[in-house]
Amino acid sequence: MRDLAQKWTPMPDWHEAVIEVPGLTVRTRIGLNQYLVSGDLDAWSSVSGLPAHGAGAFGKAEGERYSVQAARDRLLVVSTPQLDMENGWHEQGFGVTAISAGLHVFEAEGPAVADLIARATPLDPRAASASAAMSFGGVSAVVYHHEAALRIHVDRSLATYLWTWMETAAAAIEATGKDR
């Protein structure tokens, strides 16, 4: 029987994998708890203490607990500690779903992040957008800034593809030889 797995790109060891070229470093961000919150976001805000509206595309999020706008009535909530809230529908009118196992998180840092963004999406990173959900490197992702890094949340099944895409983009950025 043929080994069909040979045609797939091997998955990197995410704990060790790093893309590094002058001005750009990309690695996996491990240890984040991720939740989708849907429904009445004002009710969610009053219960959780987090804002009802999160950071939009290329927006700025800070701290160890924050939210990012994924759709009109949906937030991606990211937290280093686990949230003290049950999964499921809440009588206040919102639902919470833990999705840490479903999303992979990349962080990109350095002055060439702007070049990576320019290759990944036609969106203007200086223009405000309510939602951080976008096409990035050919896949659907949630993209925003967290402190000094660009964070990219992507379906775990697409992480190896996006990693390979970012390796190619980083090589092209390095080949341009821009002074940083």
Side-chain angles (χ1 to χ4, degrees), residues 47-172:
V47 172
S48 70
L50 288 169
H53 299 286
F58 305 114
K60 183 87 167 168
E62 295 180 327
E64 65 176 13
R65 224 179 90 171
Y66 58 89
S67 58
V68 180
Q69 202 75 35
R72 183 183 326 262
D73 63 348
R74 181 165 288 167
L75 295 173
L76 172 63
V77 176
V78 182
S79 179
T80 303
Q82 288 189 351
L83 290 183
D84 187 24
M85 189 167 299
E86 289 185 34
N87 278 325
W89 188 254
H90 294 255
E91 65 183 28
Q92 296 91 335
F94 62 87
V96 177
T97 306
I99 58 164
S100 300
L103 293 180
H104 190 94
V105 183
F106 293 111
E107 279 189 345
E109 294 181 292
V113 165
D115 293 330
L116 180 68
I117 291 170
R119 293 171 186 279
T121 183
L123 297 177
D124 182 352
R126 298 166 303 201
S129 175
S131 175
M134 68 178 73
S135 177
F136 189 90
V139 297
S140 294
V142 174
V143 184
Y144 60 95
H145 293 278
H146 182 264
E147 296 171 6
L150 181 72
R151 282 196 176 162
I152 306 154
H153 297 249
V154 63
D155 284 345
R156 192 164 299 279
S157 63
L158 298 172
T160 301
Y161 162 79
L162 186 57
W163 182 260
T164 303
W165 183 92
M166 289 190 292
E167 285 178 320
T168 303

